[in-house]
Amino acid sequence: MGCRIKFEDEILSYRLPPQATIYGLKGSDNSAAMYAWATFAGLDVEFLDLGEDYDLVELMDLFPCAEMVPQIMVDGLDVGNLEEFKEWLKYTIG
């Protein structure tokens, strides 16, 4: 018989990468850095541009304590700005 893995076991063990949405600003160094950190960490990243994909009202609804962009949400969790995201990565992924 050997060491065969059942197809069902293989499918059930597969895990999708965390879904991340970056609320950033194209041309911003911090937005580019956050995108780079998120993709390097293996997150499935969607980048939204201020003024094109969202506005300040939507940003404040999603991130009431935000004082700057970019902000990131991972799997529905408000993670915060770039520095908060790096801390989150340190304790969550690594």
Side-chain angles (χ1 to χ4, degrees), residues 22-80:
I22 297 174
Y23 292 81
L25 180 62
K26 285 186 182 171
S28 160
D29 290 341
N30 282 343
S31 293
M34 183 178 281
Y35 184 83
W37 277 94
T39 54
F40 181 75
L43 305 178
D44 184 11
V45 183
E46 174 185 26
F47 185 89
L48 302 178
D49 186 30
L50 178 63
E52 188 175 317
D53 301 313
Y54 71 98
D55 59 18
L56 286 176
V57 172
E58 183 178 355
L59 181 72
M60 296 315 296
D61 283 345
L62 293 170
F63 304 94
C65 297
E67 296 179 359
M68 65 181 81
V69 292
Q71 297 288 317
I72 189 166
M73 192 166 283
V74 179
D75 286 340
L77 173 69
D78 170 5
V79 175

